[in-house]
Amino acid sequence: MGWKIIETNQLAPKDIDRQGNKLLTGNGYIGYRGTLEEFNKEQKTATIVAGLYDRVGDQWREPVNLPNGCFVQVVYKGEVLHALTGKVVEHAQSLDLQTAIHERRTLFEAADGIRITVQARRFASLAYRHMICMEYSVTADHECVVDIHTGIDGDVWDLNGPHLRDICPIVKDDVISVCAATCESVVQVAVSEAIVFREAGKLSGEERHTEALKILRKLNQVNIQNGFTFYKFVSHSIGLESNDPLEDSRRICQQAAEIGFDDLLAEHAKRWSERWGDCDIQIEGDDFAQEALRFSMYHLLAIVPTHTATVSIPARGMSGQMYKGAIFWDTEIFMLPFFTHVFPSMARNLLLYRYHTLNGARRKAHEYGYRGAFYAWESQDTGDDACTLFNVTDVFTNRPMRTYFRDKQVHISADIAYAFWKYYTSTGDASIWRDGGAEVVFESARFFLSYIYFNPDKQRYEILDVTGPDEYHERVHNNTFTNRLVAHTFEVCLRVAACLQECFPEKYSELMTVLDFERDLVLISEMLQKLYQPDSNPATAVIPQFDGYLILENVPLKTLLERKLHPHEYLGGGNGLATTTQIIKQADVVLTLYLFDEKYSLETKSRNWEYYESRTEHGSSLSACSYSLIAAEIGKVDWAYKYFMKTATIDLTGDGKEYVGTLYIGGTHPAGNGGAWMSAVFGLCGIHVSENGMSVNPRLPAHWTQVKLSLLFRGQRLLFTLTHASVAIEALSPAETSLPVSINRQNYVLPPTGTLMVPII
Amino acid sequence: MGWKIIETNQLAPKDIDRQGNKLLTGNGYIGYRGTLEEFNKEQKTATIVAGLYDRVGDQWREPVNLPNGCFVQVVYKGEVLHALTGKVVEHAQSLDLQTAIHERRTLFEAADGIRITVQARRFASLAYRHMICMEYSVTADHECVVDIHTGIDGDVWDLNGPHLRDICPIVKDDVISVCAATCESVVQVAVSEAIVFREAGKLSGEERHTEALKILRKLNQVNIQNGFTFYKFVSHSIGLESNDPLEDSRRICQQAAEIGFDDLLAEHAKRWSERWGDCDIQIEGDDFAQEALRFSMYHLLAIVPTHTATVSIPARGMSGQMYKGAIFWDTEIFMLPFFTHVFPSMARNLLLYRYHTLNGARRKAHEYGYRGAFYAWESQDTGDDACTLFNVTDVFTNRPMRTYFRDKQVHISADIAYAFWKYYTSTGDASIWRDGGAEVVFESARFFLSYIYFNPDKQRYEILDVTGPDEYHERVHNNTFTNRLVAHTFEVCLRVAACLQECFPEKYSELMTVLDFERDLVLISEMLQKLYQPDSNPATAVIPQFDGYLILENVPLKTLLERKLHPHEYLGGGNGLATTTQIIKQADVVLTLYLFDEKYSLETKSRNWEYYESRTEHGSSLSACSYSLIAAEIGKVDWAYKYFMKTATIDLTGDGKEYVGTLYIGGTHPAGNGGAWMSAVFGLCGIHVSENGMSVNPRLPAHWTQVKLSLLFRGQRLLFTLTHASVAIEALSPAETSLPVSINRQNYVLPPTGTLMVPII
């Protein structure tokens, strides 16, 4: 159970947006929204291809939405059978998480009473990444002929488009194509469709019809009594990786048609099955949590790039052009743990994206007068920052509002260094340093070296004028999160230098010379000694989020929200309601407690969780998981469960924020999905992995009777079986040495093979 | 000519506000608005007494408006003869600048056609500071009787009141009084009136009438054919300086009545005449400029405190409770030059106000985590900051807007040090250091010592997160004005230490010990060497106002103003229209050029004046004079004259801004008045005084045929006579040595006595 997400509601426009996100299919190269075949741009159909961005005029740069090759409409007596406008007797739409197949079945009733069923299955092939394969069937309960229009719709949904120009429908042999070019960099793109009919005899004829932006096959007078089925093989090719996208896409879809739908599906399903074999988490006693957690992992897997290390996962995944298709810290802090612990090669790819965009980060640092690498707040293909200085529109004046996301969220460079280090300690893969990681870490540390100031009166280094995770408080001084993370970057920098020197001495010498880094290494070591870390107030144990935070207005969240004059008014920015109060957007100190778990006592965690929880608006999908993680650790299992479910269901319920100011930010929330995995594994299951080893302190909700999951730790696959009575760890692959493990704060040793079983008293 | 300001307009409410400011009388202890005797709080009558502040609840703390002792109404057949509501045939209201006497003459026509003239003169006595003396006459053109109500009106105009409680009308002997207490500190106040009738026989009876807030003498059935005249002697006493304000005020007004109006007026006029003898500037060829300049000096003299060094001049003078009656940097930078060069003992008083409020400045520094003296942005009696964190209301949401005037305009402490040093170099009075000046300077320097950061990457000290004079750009880094002024504070600190050690070694030792200052002196010296001073762009010679200023949107002022959606919207603050552009509120770099005249070349001044002039909104009355001063220096005499007239006429025309957001800020503009004097003397007359000596480079407007003025320079009175053909300097008092003078960049020597006359080629 728990594998199939089924929607049977009658469709309303709001459902269509939600299901478009929720039922998305993808293979890390293409993402296709969970819309119906008869839909067009009004219903937000989208085919997003990884790493292809475009900018029109002075609008925002964003991903390109390719022509929609999955387009099919059935016409009965001149009327399109459309789920939104037709009479729908039954409708079901589903996503099989196990196989990543989208399916729909709709029973229409026509004006004359005849009932026609449309059924379709599709998947973005994990074996052939350019392909979306579809099976499409139409059946009537009486004798009946329909026209079927299938083809490629180049009239696409855009937020800041149109991004495609020279759109050209082409017919050649049995393949139809739409090719076009992007506006900014004139990248050629092509979408092609090959088609196979199961019962070709039922076809009385096929016309090819081209319009300005569209190409269709018009299958005329198809007899659908007893059913009519065909297969669409849609291929997508872009000039970033192909010298002739049109020809390549034609060839690819023809080859797929030759393989045939069933074999393609089998190969695709097999690959997904292997993935699930590695990562599935089985929860007994809680079907909804089971579904939500698998749903979260599915969404991460559907969009993770495996074909290249030059792209990463955007904040809204592949669900559209929202947030400019940009990569934020979401990836490093909230998505990477899943990949690092389960699919380290995918994590490695995602990390090396930051190496491929290092020059963009250098350019940004230089632009602001700093040295090293100041990573983009919103990173696209080049690493240059897509974030604008005016990122929100004031709902009261309709004017652009100056925000400091781009300028002041300097923690991004430290987040990246943190993720590299976590990857290294979890996998033991030192080659990441040789292959780009060291350069990323060195340049990030160097950026902070040039950003930090010395306070001569207090004899300490301080980090001034930054914005932490809580974006409602911009331009603050000594943000606890940032200061802690920058110190960590400095530590990592020193350790990576040592590691590189030991393991790859030539690379070390090369980098020291090329980067002229030796003097800076000394400075970094000195700065680290005197870098100020805000202390907790001795009386309350509360750590101030930044200098002066605790003297801001201490207003209840409810009161603050009652002050709103407009439902979408932005709480941060220049005059935002939250900026002058202690109300925060998202976990900031509490996230610090999680990231630096070993540096804070349980008492400190408990006090700060209590303090900040009531002051957090959770205006970001990144917030809930931190509160879940710390709640689990301090023994508040109910809260941990509540926040786990909040993050795990964000795209199931579709209750996430859709507007900030006047800006549409709907879409999927892969960081929330990653947060669900973290909350489940690190939080409720209490599995902590650090460079010092592993600890397990389960905090299972009362109704969870058992959890089974597997992780990789330094190359060894471990299977955990947790109940309220025991913890069992089985080594699925042999290790070189025994592994010390702390279980419920008692020390044990996991032998190189076999199982360690510890009862919980 | 040029001494009398006469208004003959028929009164409208707006005129009443303007004339209330313009025709204000005062003696530095009391300020009385230029309203008519029959007016009440609706017409903004106000009697402001220096140094008395009060706060009600959580409203703004502001000056107390005393009961109005100048109240008189004439009642004819049951109707009050009121300039706003009655039929006025003729009306004239005037202020004699030479004698500081306010006069009004109004010819009323009653319903029955009878014509009654009301005539009154009053002055705030310069000889007896508690006194306002008034002569009041009523005359009819036919046989006629009226009732006259004269007395004290305790129902006063308040912005954030009511400030008086326990208001109690009292009659004793022939004196009537209103006494009351302030709310916050329960300071007793009393206003008493003694009265003398010129023709007592015409009185048929006098009743004393008391209401809750008011006490009146009702003179019944007075025959006014051929006139009826009486004299009011109104005294004001407050518990800050009197143990029994009621008794003191009774005694004082009785004594005044015994002296009599004519003798009081003669003594008062004599003292004003002496003042003018010292400071008058005679401009030939420009009557309006002559009037405006005298008007400006009059307003400074009417409000300068001479009775104590514990008060200073508020930004809106004594014209009401606007701007909380607070003292800003206006006094030190824009008013003090007049006093320093003409009335040094007054300047000394004003400066020592900062010594008396030093502990408040220390408390503010401590509050923000700094050491030394961080002076109040809005200073009242204790030196604690009256400035709130929310100083403007957002016109779009009606919410308070967070502003950083209080937190970030750190230049205030440097402005004060600057003024002390200017006073010292102009007067040679080293005793100011002994008497408090050194402590002020040391503690101000120490504040900056604790505020400044070191940039290890650039190896320099920087001043971060400040707001300069241009308040539209808050929280900027390395504001040129602030950095320059702080360096100057450091220099002054070192020189004052040296001077004190030499002249007053005991005081020096005492301060070093009490303040524990020796180590800080060394640090200040080190910091001064490496304190960053923003450079001009080599290509354009433009000095950036702060880090990043030149990359802000470069929009014409007109375009920016066209973007306004509300006439009173604040251009600064969180989302202000100007904040993200190069449009500035007021002179900032250009003020720096004036204050540090000798550090910048003419070329630099010229380039920066051109650049910033077109980008300045002049949203502050402090702005015009800086543009006038530099315009004169770079030879733009027309512009210098234009900006001189703008600042000199601000309270003549009443065209100043009256609202910021929803905040009423009307009132007089003494900094504008001081700016007029600076523009005339330092700008158009080109007289520069520095520690290195004196230079004269006149830039007289073409139509000014001659200017005569006198200044004190290190105790010696010098008379300047400037024409387009020559510069003459006469030593009016003998000096110990000859004085080197540069005239039109040629060096001369002014002998200890006698005249130096230099023709201009």
Side-chain angles (χ1 to χ4, degrees), chain B residues 485-511:
Chain B
L485 219 61
V486 170
H488 179 261
T489 301
F490 285 169
E491 282 167 25
V492 167
C493 173
L494 298 171
R495 295 179 67 176
V496 169
C499 171
L500 197 69
Q501 193 167 23
E502 189 188 320
C503 302
F504 307 100
E506 282 182 22
K507 184 73 188 175
Y508 176 82
S509 300
E510 178 201 324
L511 278 186

Side-chain angles (χ1 to χ4, degrees), chain B residues 235-390:
Chain B
S235 60
H236 309 77
S237 185
I238 61 175
L240 292 181
E241 51 164 13
S242 160
N243 290 326
D244 191 341
L246 176 61
E247 271 317 300
D248 280 354
S249 69
R250 286 169 48 76
R251 181 179 43 75
I252 291 167
C253 72
Q254 282 174 311
Q255 287 171 349
E258 280 161 26
I259 296 171
F261 184 84
D262 292 342
D263 286 355
L264 288 167
L265 188 149
E267 173 72 5
H268 169 77
K270 177 167 163 286
R271 295 202 180 197
W272 269 93
S273 167
E274 285 164 7
R275 287 180 160 191
W276 285 114
D278 285 343
C279 72
D280 188 32
I281 298 176
Q282 290 157 325
I283 300 171
E284 288 183 14
D286 188 339
D287 289 352
F288 189 31
Q290 173 73 78
E291 176 179 271
L293 186 54
R294 280 183 177 154
F295 175 81
S296 299
M297 289 190 278
Y298 165 83
H299 267 283
L300 289 167
L301 291 170
I303 57 178
V304 62
T306 54
H307 60 289
T308 175
T310 63
V311 302
S312 182
I313 305 180
R316 288 295 177 265
M318 304 182 88
S319 61
Q321 294 162 327
M322 289 73 73
Y323 275 132
K324 305 164 197 159
I327 292 91
F328 292 66
W329 68 312
D330 301 37
T331 314
E332 277 75 15
I333 300 296
F334 299 96
M335 303 179 212
L336 264 164
F338 168 70
F339 296 112
T340 294
H341 289 92
V342 189
F343 299 104
S345 68
M346 296 181 191
R348 198 178 201 276
N349 259 4
L350 293 170
L351 286 167
L352 290 180
Y353 162 77
R354 297 298 190 173
Y355 176 60
H356 288 288
T357 50
L358 178 57
N359 281 338
R362 286 186 173 118
R363 284 189 292 273
K364 181 173 170 188
H366 183 74
E367 175 194 339
Y368 283 101
Y370 302 111
R371 299 192 292 133
F374 181 6
Y375 274 93
W377 184 243
E378 300 183 3
S379 185
Q380 296 175 335
D381 46 350
T382 63
D384 292 287
D385 208 326
C387 188
T388 58
L389 303 184
F390 298 83

Side-chain angles (χ1 to χ4, degrees), chain B residues 514-566:
Chain B
V514 173
L515 302 181
D516 187 17
F517 199 62
E518 265 163 320
R519 197 182 63 93
D520 283 352
L521 258 186
V522 176
L523 289 174
I524 283 167
S525 172
E526 285 170 15
M527 279 189 171
L528 178 58
Q529 304 311 311
K530 289 191 172 181
L531 180 54
Y532 171 54
Q533 298 300 333
D535 261 347
S536 55
N537 177 322
T540 63
V542 173
I543 302 169
Q545 189 175 296
F546 49 79
D547 287 355
Y549 169 81
L550 294 173
I551 58 169
L552 295 178
E553 186 191 354
N554 191 7
V555 61
L557 176 60
K558 185 165 171 293
T559 308
L560 185 100
L561 294 177
E562 283 165 2
R563 293 178 186 168
K564 284 173 76 168
L565 300 174
H566 186 291

Side-chain angles (χ1 to χ4, degrees), chain A residues 355-420:
Chain A
Y355 176 59
H356 289 286
T357 50
L358 179 55
N359 280 338
R362 287 187 173 118
R363 285 189 291 272
K364 180 172 169 188
H366 182 73
E367 174 195 340
Y368 282 102
Y370 303 111
R371 297 191 293 133
F374 181 6
Y375 275 93
W377 185 244
E378 301 183 2
S379 185
Q380 296 175 335
D381 46 350
T382 62
D384 292 287
D385 208 327
C387 188
T388 57
L389 302 185
F390 298 83
N391 236 21
V392 178
T393 299
D394 185 338
V395 295
F396 299 110
T397 60
N398 217 33
R399 291 175 184 153
M401 186 189 292
R402 180 69 160 97
T403 47
Y404 290 86
F405 307 135
R406 186 189 202 274
D407 324 49
K408 299 299 177 187
Q409 282 196 281
V410 297
H411 67 79
I412 177 66
S413 290
D415 304 331
I416 290 167
Y418 182 93
F420 268 94

